Amino acid sequence: MLNCELNASVQHSFANAEDKLRHYKGEMGKTFDIGLERLTGGVGFPVGVDARARNLAAATEIPGAGRGTFFLETFGCQMNDHDSEKVAGVLLSRGYTQVESPESASLILYNTCSIREKAAQKVFSRLGEFGLKQDEGRIIGVLGCVAQQEGEEIFKRAPWVSLVCGSASYSKLPELVAQVEAGNQRVTGLDTDTDETFETPVTRRDNPWRAYLTIIEGCDKACSYCVVPYTRGPERSRASDSILREVRQLADLGYSEVQLLGQTVNSYADPTARKMRFSELLLAVADAPGIRRVRFTTSHPRDFTQDIVDAIDAQPKLCNHVHLPVQSGSTRVLRAMQRTYSREEYLEKIAMIRGARRPISITTDIIVGFPGETDEDLAETLSLLDVVRYDAIFSFKYSPRPHTPSLAMRDVISEDEKSRRLAVLQEKQREIQTARHSTMVGEAFELLVGGKSRRENQWSGHTSCHRVINFSSQETALLGKYVQVRVTGATPNSLVGEEAP
Ligand code: SAM
Ligand code: SF4
């Protein structure tokens, strides 16, 4: 383990709530806000936060700022977002200042995603843009999954890159950055045989109320389509005492919601003598004074057990939302995907969640067009949607990835056919969401307010079940507060409401 056990957050410094309000902009228009939609290639800073405000705040708080400037663009999932928060923390603590454009940076970093081909391509097009400007003396680095996947090949494709570091080697990032600063033109961090998790003394968080916290890194599952075990290395769980210490610090800094992250978060295995189960950890995190909401994502169906549902039932601070990717409704396809469960076993997990005393919203990920998927297999996935009636789905066309077993599978489905199947699936879910949303009109929810619209008196926030509701209120300072909102209108993709008296 790293010796820097004490994690602190760079706190945003605002004179008052009005000041904060001016600096943070809204996350309007999305109904379900679990961030996974950004897997399709969302870039830059998380929605809801004004990057300039963060940079100014950070630059004024880190001693020695001005040594250099860095620009960091993030592609991919919440884990990448959070890794970027830690990378920014490492650089800020070395005296760098974060800037908003690559043009004004001396160090340009791309934290990349390679889950699907399109996401990986985006990075190379970004690097191409900077090939033209290599004479300007900037240092360019590629971090994350594309770095791990492509390794030193990146130096060949983009010779102006000096740093290539996969996420499994992030714990070495401070040394690697020091080597680049010392003038080394080809610095790599590509080991995956590590038992370290990526903890830094300083994490610069993007959101002042909701904090991400990685509790398990890497993945030991071997889904035949997925590049993550290759790019992120084996599962490594963080010590429970270190997690709880950081949660208490976050609460002291004013964070009221924490989201525990991991590719398979519920496969958490406490490496300390305490051997806390995942459900015990959830309850312990919720017990931290000041914490009002605890979320976790992503859960793997195989390791989803009754004690997690019991914990949600017992502790209202545990959010009533479970993201449980199914990938396919056909046992035949699930076997080919090496998902380790059948349709029936997955439905048993759903029944377990539906058996909870409080309603728990359920979301999922689905891949269409996996090699060999037939019309009958697709029909099984569609019928699974009818049975489960998910609150939201994140659906993807199968994308062949390097180093994965499914790459060699036959019966490849054409891109046009994948698009057709995706449209059919999404239309089915649209019908389900339309029906679900219409039943919510008139219901009241507690929201954590996270965004303010440019329109007068318009705000947005998310519920415990992680729906985003856009609402009106005459109040002028709601950001970061919890309010009751009654739903007044619904479309398949959005909910609107007004603050309840
Ligand atoms: N660990 C999580 C799980 O077990 O489901 C998922 C993590 S993965 C980063 C997020 C989602 O990307 C997956 O659930 C899957 O639906 C999708 N995905 C992964 N590999 C893919 C591929 N090769 N093509 C299309 N979608 C893929
Ligand atoms: Fe990829 Fe499967 Fe691991 Fe999820 S569980 S990260 S889909 S290998």
Side-chain angles (χ1 to χ4, degrees):
M1 297 295 294
L2 280 178
N3 55 8
C4 38
E5 287 276 70
L6 264 185
N7 275 42
S9 287
V10 176
Q11 204 174 3
H12 299 257
S13 62
F14 295 100
N16 51 43
E18 285 294 307
D19 188 13
K20 224 178 197 179
L21 190 142
R22 241 178 284 123
H23 283 297
Y24 287 84
K25 66 185 178 206
E27 47 180 27
M28 315 292 274
K30 287 184 294 172
T31 317
F32 236 92
D33 181 33
I34 62 172
L36 293 177
E37 65 275 36
R38 302 183 69 243
L39 281 170
T40 49
V43 293
F45 297 103
V47 185
V49 177
D50 184 305
R52 201 168 357 142
R54 291 200 311 269
N55 297 333
L56 290 174
T60 51
E61 286 165 11
I62 298 292
R67 172 194 188 125
T69 49
F70 73 97
F71 169 79
L72 174 57
E73 182 170 350
T74 308
F75 300 78
C77 61
Q78 289 145 312
M79 291 202 68
N80 269 14
D81 282 340
H82 186 36
D83 283 345
S84 283
E85 293 179 336
K86 293 191 249 183
V87 169
V90 167
L91 292 169
L92 290 165
S93 65
R94 293 184 75 80
Y96 282 85
T97 306
Q98 190 167 7
V99 293
E100 255 188 279
S101 74
E103 287 75 16
S104 43
S106 56
L107 172 61
I108 299 170
L109 295 175
Y110 295 109
N111 187 3
T112 61
C113 169
S114 65
I115 198 84
R116 278 170 294 277
E117 197 181 354
K118 257 195 192 152
Q121 277 168 354
K122 236 179 215 168
V123 179
F124 283 104
S125 78
R126 283 287 193 288
L127 289 174
E129 288 163 23
F130 279 93
L132 302 170
K133 300 181 184 169
Q134 56 180 305
D135 55 329
E136 290 175 16
R138 296 193 177 91
I139 297 171
I140 300 177
V142 180
L143 310 177
C145 295
V146 173
Q148 192 68 52
Q149 184 184 294
E150 301 292 324
E152 300 197 2
E153 272 300 303
I154 293 177
F155 294 135
K156 289 191 198 144
R157 283 180 74 173
W160 46 92
V161 170
S162 337
L163 171 66
V164 172
C165 178
S167 51
S169 304
Y170 279 165
S171 55
K172 298 197 186 81
L173 201 64
E175 308 156 32
L176 300 177
V177 171
Q179 287 177 36
V180 176
E181 285 168 348
N184 194 335
Q185 292 297 305
R186 293 278 182 271
V187 177
T188 54
L190 295 168
D191 294 343
T192 49
D193 56 343
T194 174
D195 59 359
E196 291 179 343
T197 53
F198 179 35
E199 295 176 50
T200 76
V202 186
T203 299
R204 196 278 289 115
R205 286 192 160 78
D206 289 334
N207 186 304
W209 307 292
R210 305 164 62 186
Y212 290 141
L213 213 83
T214 302
I215 65 162
I216 173 170
E217 287 178 5
C219 182
D220 280 351
K221 314 292 183 289
C223 303
S224 61
Y225 52 82
C226 184
V227 77
V228 168
Y230 180 80
T231 55
R232 286 194 167 263
E235 274 173 19
R236 289 99 67 203
S237 291
R238 186 174 163 186
S240 54
D241 48 358
S242 160
I243 296 169
L244 294 172
R245 200 176 311 126
E246 188 171 359
V247 169
R248 285 192 293 271
Q249 287 170 346
L250 288 168
D252 288 346
L253 288 169
Y255 290 91
S256 63
E257 182 176 308
V258 290
Q259 179 158 2
L260 308 183
L261 297 179
Q263 292 296 344
T264 53
V265 72
N266 57 327
S267 308
Y268 176 78
D270 185 5
T272 71
R274 250 174 124 180
K275 298 258 169 281
M276 265 192 163
R277 298 186 72 179
F278 176 64
S279 56
E280 290 170 331
L281 180 71
L282 287 177
L283 292 169
V285 170
D287 268 348
I291 295 300
R292 281 183 68 159
R293 282 184 179 177
V294 183
R295 314 187 170 279
F296 55 92
T297 200
T298 294
S299 295
H300 191 284
R302 194 196 70 186
D303 296 335
F304 202 88
T305 44
Q306 181 65 47
D307 55 317
I308 302 173
V309 177
D310 294 344
I312 295 175
D313 261 341
Q315 172 53 277
K317 288 185 192 174
L318 298 185
C319 289
N320 55 339
H321 167 226
V322 173
H323 185 64
L324 200 68
V326 65
Q327 313 299 359
S328 170
S330 151
T331 296
R332 205 185 65 78
V333 174
L334 289 171
R335 295 257 184 271
M337 289 177 163
Q338 292 170 204
R339 280 295 286 183
T340 72
Y341 52 83
S342 63
R343 174 191 172 101
E344 289 67 32
E345 284 161 343
Y346 180 85
L347 285 173
E348 281 168 20
K349 304 287 176 172
I350 295 293
M352 187 193 283
I353 299 169
R354 293 275 184 242
R357 284 193 297 280
R358 53 183 182 128
I360 296 176
S361 76
I362 306 176
T363 54
T364 201
D365 293 348
I366 294 176
I367 297 174
V368 294
F370 189 76
E373 184 191 63
T374 60
D375 282 344
E376 291 70 39
D377 293 322
L378 181 67
E380 292 216 45
T381 300
L382 297 174
S383 83
L384 187 90
L385 294 197
D386 278 330
V387 176
V388 180
R389 299 186 72 74
Y390 290 106
D391 292 85
I393 66 167
F394 298 86
S395 48
F396 311 103
K397 289 191 275 181
Y398 166 73
S399 171
R401 305 309 296 129
H403 315 288
T404 58
S406 64
L407 200 57
M409 289 181 185
R410 285 186 296 181
D411 299 326
V412 169
I413 315 282
S414 73
E415 280 306 306
D416 282 353
E417 178 57 15
K418 283 186 215 170
S419 301
R420 187 194 70 78
R421 293 183 190 187
L422 190 69
V424 171
L425 183 79
Q426 291 177 342
E427 181 50 35
K428 167 70 121 184
Q429 178 62 19
R430 195 180 153 82
E431 287 163 18
I432 292 170
Q433 270 176 226
T434 306
R436 280 191 79 77
H437 282 185
S438 64
T439 65
M440 295 173 95
V441 175
E443 265 188 75
F445 293 90
E446 185 188 67
L447 302 192
L448 168 56
V449 184
K452 179 170 176 22
S453 163
R454 283 192 192 88
R455 284 193 293 142
E456 195 67 6
N457 305 326
Q458 292 297 312
W459 304 81
S460 74
H462 58 280
T463 63
S464 168
C465 60
H466 227 188
R467 286 174 192 284
V468 174
I469 304 181
N470 299 322
F471 69 99
S472 55
S473 166
Q474 298 309 313
E475 296 291 325
T476 53
L478 288 181
L479 287 177
K481 298 204 171 136
Y482 289 82
V483 297
Q484 285 291 325
V485 167
R486 190 166 302 284
V487 176
T488 54
T491 70
N493 293 316
S494 69
L495 291 172
V496 292
E498 56 192 32
E499 192 175 357

